[in-house]
Amino acid sequence: MICFLCLLLSSIFWTIQPIFNSRVKDHYASQDYSSMGQSLFIGFTMGLAGTAFFILATSYCDSLSKAVAYTYALPIVLSTVASIFLYNEVIGPEKWFGITLILFGLYLI
């Protein structure tokens, strides 16, 4: 259970990191350097937290390949869900089918 929790937290932090990093260019374009620095710091901190939880997960998980599979696949699913809520992206049936296959594959691991 601790293994899965660490992998989930790692995936969540690695999903959040690019959202903050993508805001840096907008702050730079508007010459809002304090917000740009804040977004860089938060993005770096999220990436660092994701890495820390992944390292912690490697000590709790039975298999490193399981840890890598989860932390590779879950950010794909989470970023797709985040794009729906943050950017109003419309996801077609092929992408939903792909997400279903990813989740089914993770269930089989």
Side-chain angles (χ1 to χ4, degrees):
M1 183 66 182
I2 294 175
C3 169
F4 179 73
L5 182 63
C6 289
L7 292 175
L8 182 65
L9 287 172
S10 177
S11 297
I12 288 171
F13 283 122
W14 281 341
T15 301
I16 293 172
Q17 177 193 9
I19 294 170
F20 283 100
N21 289 344
S22 69
R23 294 180 181 172
V24 171
K25 67 176 176 63
D26 297 330
H27 296 307
Y28 180 77
S30 65
Q31 296 181 347
D32 186 7
Y33 298 116
S34 63
S35 295
M36 183 180 75
Q38 185 180 16
S39 292
L40 276 171
F41 178 74
I42 292 172
F44 178 76
T45 304
M46 293 293 137
L48 193 64
T51 303
F53 276 110
F54 179 76
I55 292 170
L56 188 63
T58 58
S59 63
Y60 285 112
C61 294
D62 297 334
S63 169
L64 184 61
S65 60
K66 176 182 177 180
V68 170
Y70 269 85
T71 55
Y72 183 77
L74 281 179
I76 295 170
V77 174
L78 295 174
S79 63
T80 303
V81 172
S83 70
I84 293 169
F85 291 111
L86 295 176
Y87 304 112
N88 295 323
E89 186 176 339
V90 177
I91 305 299
E94 292 96 9
K95 286 187 181 179
W96 282 117
F97 182 68
I99 289 173
T100 304
L101 283 177
I102 290 171
L103 293 175
F104 183 69
L106 291 176
Y107 173 75
L108 292 177
I109 292 179

